[in-house]
Amino acid sequence: MSQPDGGADDPASSLPPPPPPPVAWPEDGVLTRDWVAGLTATLDWCSRSLPADQLPAVLPAALAQRLVLAASVILHREPNLVRVDPRPDQTVVVVGDVHGQLHDVIFLLQDAGFPSEDRIFVFNGDYVDRGAWGLETFLLLLAWKVLLPNCVFLLRGNHESKYCTSVYGFEQEVIFKYKGQGPQVYRKFLRCFEDLPLATIIAGCVYTAHGGIFRGAIVVPSKRSKKGKKGNKYKASSTIDPTLMKLGSLDELLKARRTVLDPPWEGSNLIPGDVLWSDPSLEMGLSSNKERGIGLVWGPDITQQFLYTNNLKLIIRSHEGPDARDKRHDLLGMDNGYTIDHHVECGKLITLFSAPDYPQFQASEDRYNNCGAYIVLRPPDFATPVFHSFEAVKPRPAANPYYDFEEVIDSDEELNLDAMDNGSSSS
């Protein structure tokens, strides 16, 4: 297990470093590793030494928006399902939820080895909310995406949405830090969220997505009108008999419309909500996720079917931290940052969570003190996961929450479907 070095025994570590100059976009418009390293150091310094509402003095709103736009252009061109095909000399690092825990993300990148032409990173979503530095965390990962677009892959999590960010802190964080320019910056982030792909297949054998699998479209006969009009024989039904629910295909995933502010929980475009919100179970079958009110619950038989049908060996999903697993007595806890939930004939289903000591703000003094983890996939087959657990960087810099963490305890209980916006930010 990796343990961050807090440097408490080094007298020099108690001396605050001098303030960095404001971050500027490269004159030639091309990001470099040195630029990203400088951004990392600046964000770390700001989190420790600068009041949050003074962030624009070092990270101007125009710079933040330019970085978001540059990344959005790249992300928009990627399909819903990204094929990540590593070379025989590359490794792949898969990362789960990080939830605005900037210092743990910086440590993870150092511990795993920074993204490079030899090391691909796949991030499984939930970059923002709950933690105090969601803005800084997401900007840092966007910078890596712009620098290495073919070696860094960012997927969408359920918290990369208008609804979740309005409830769990990210919207208020952006507005607090950028004041009058905050709403404009926040809208840029929302547009970027819509551009994030939904899933990857790594080396042809590993499927990764934030929540998991998804249902296929059900087409049922519609009632013919008395006039017997042609061309109206079938229609998609939003009210589906659970016995008719079936597993979706990768082709259907590719065709889904992901450019929505909030994944729909009803209607015909259900695949984004399934991919972002679904949960595994030990009970057989495929059914609606009644606990969350959106997405699916699926059992080991469905995992086997998905792996077999698509010639896969692993599913790596995220979405459930120690707080969610604390309420689920059918599955293992998230103490080590990962669990193996299904072990079937064709392979395994893994839940990966990369935010240690989560959530940052807890109403109870009895903290979960969980580890985070990341997975390394190595050649030749990339199908044997190597787990790396790590502890939180301590002490965390002092920070205030951007949501009422004592009231908003758990997303399973607080989901307000009527408040979701199924439209696009451009509509």
Side-chain angles (χ1 to χ4, degrees):
M1 181 186 300
S2 301
Q3 294 181 322
D5 180 7
D9 297 329
D10 182 3
S13 67
S14 62
L15 300 176
V23 179
W25 196 256
E27 291 184 3
D28 60 1
V30 178
L31 300 193
T32 64
R33 296 185 72 89
D34 286 343
W35 191 91
V36 176
L39 176 66
T40 304
T42 296
L43 296 176
D44 186 36
W45 180 88
C46 290
S47 69
R48 300 177 186 278
S49 306
L50 195 69
D53 60 353
Q54 294 182 28
L55 180 66
V58 179
L59 192 71
L63 182 284
Q65 293 182 79
R66 188 165 183 177
L67 178 54
V68 172
L69 179 60
S72 297
V73 170
I74 298 170
L75 294 165
H76 185 76
R77 293 197 295 260
E78 294 180 336
N80 290 344
L81 176 63
V82 180
R83 297 275 179 170
V84 179
D85 297 314
R87 303 187 311 265
D89 61 339
Q90 291 178 309
T91 59
V92 181
V93 179
V94 184
V95 182
D97 300 38
V98 295
H99 280 295
Q101 296 184 191
L102 174 68
H103 313 91
D104 299 318
V105 171
I106 293 173
F107 172 79
L108 185 157
L109 292 170
Q110 295 170 338
D111 193 59
F114 293 105
S116 70
E117 294 297 334
D118 299 324
R119 187 178 295 109
I120 296 171
F121 273 74
V122 174
F123 292 86
N124 234 4
D126 275 15
Y127 313 107
V128 303
D129 281 342
R130 303 226 180 184
W133 303 283
L135 185 152
E136 293 88 342
T137 297
F138 193 45
L139 286 178
L140 175 58
L141 297 181
L142 291 179
W144 279 109
K145 178 64 180 177
V146 174
L147 175 65
L148 295 168
N150 298 317
C151 295
V152 175
F153 298 93
L154 305 176
L155 301 183
R156 188 173 183 176
N158 65 300
H159 278 264
E160 279 72 60
S161 64
K162 182 179 179 182
Y163 171 76
C164 281
T165 53
S166 70
V167 174
Y168 297 98
F170 182 67
E171 179 183 14
Q172 289 305 312
E173 177 190 349
V174 175
I175 291 174
F176 181 84
K177 290 176 178 177
Y178 282 111
K179 294 296 188 286
Q181 294 175 293
Q184 181 181 4
V185 176
Y186 176 63
R187 286 193 294 272
K188 290 289 194 299
F189 277 117
L190 289 181
R191 294 191 184 100
C192 185
F193 292 163
E194 292 182 294
D195 288 325
L196 291 167
L198 300 177
T200 69
I201 289 185
I202 302 169
C205 63
V206 180
Y207 170 85
T208 80
H210 183 71
I213 54 90
F214 49 94
R215 78 192 83 186
I218 301 294
V219 179
V220 297
S222 65
K223 295 181 179 179
R224 288 186 179 273
S225 66
K226 293 181 179 179
K227 294 182 180 180
K229 293 182 179 179
K230 295 181 179 180
N232 190 37
K233 187 176 182 181
Y234 295 100
K235 67 177 181 179
S237 174
S238 59
T239 304
I240 298 173
D241 182 344
T243 62
L244 296 177
M245 191 179 294
K246 66 174 184 176
L247 189 60
S249 70
L250 298 183
D251 284 341
E252 288 176 298
L253 174 58
L254 282 167
K255 295 174 183 177
R257 184 169 70 89
R258 76 178 191 247
T259 54
V260 289
L261 291 167
D262 291 308
W265 56 276
E266 61 180 358
S268 60
N269 188 35
L270 296 175
I271 286 179
D274 289 348
V275 172
L276 302 186
W277 282 95
S278 294
D279 296 304
S281 171
L282 295 184
E283 294 187 9
M284 298 295 183
L286 183 68
S287 61
S288 297
N289 195 330
K290 296 179 181 178
E291 186 71 24
R292 294 187 188 272
I294 184 173
L296 305 171
V297 173
W298 82 95
D301 57 327
I302 303 300
T303 291
Q304 169 66 14
Q305 181 184 346
F306 187 81
L307 294 175
Y308 178 81
T309 301
N310 299 298
N311 196 26
L312 301 170
K313 296 180 180 179
L314 288 177
I315 298 173
I316 302 176
R317 47 90 64 177
S318 300
H319 192 38
E320 291 182 288
D323 53 344
R325 283 296 173 92
D326 191 41
K327 298 181 179 181
R328 300 197 59 184
H329 304 297
D330 56 331
L331 297 175
L332 295 174
M334 199 51 62
D335 296 341
N336 296 318
Y338 68 92
T339 58
I340 299 175
D341 300 319
H342 297 162
H343 196 162
V344 296
E345 181 180 353
C346 284
K348 299 175 182 177
L349 165 69
I350 296 166
T351 296
L352 177 67
F353 197 78
S354 303
D357 191 25
Y358 172 88
Q360 179 179 351
F361 303 102
Q362 297 184 23
S364 171
E365 294 182 2
D366 185 17
R367 300 182 66 85
Y368 291 107
N369 287 316
N370 63 291
C371 288
Y374 59 89
I375 288 173
V376 178
L377 303 173
R378 293 192 173 97
D381 64 353
F382 297 94
T384 304
V386 179
F387 300 96
H388 293 262
S389 296
F390 62 97
E391 296 180 348
V393 175
K394 297 285 187 71
R396 287 182 173 131
N400 294 318
Y402 295 100
Y403 71 109
D404 189 347
F405 66 93
E406 294 184 351
E407 292 295 327
V408 183
I409 297 175
D410 191 281
S411 57
D412 293 352
E413 299 175 351
E414 298 294 332
L415 190 60
N416 181 355
L417 298 175
D418 292 333
M420 286 187 166
D421 188 335
N422 298 153
S424 167
S425 60
S426 58
S427 60

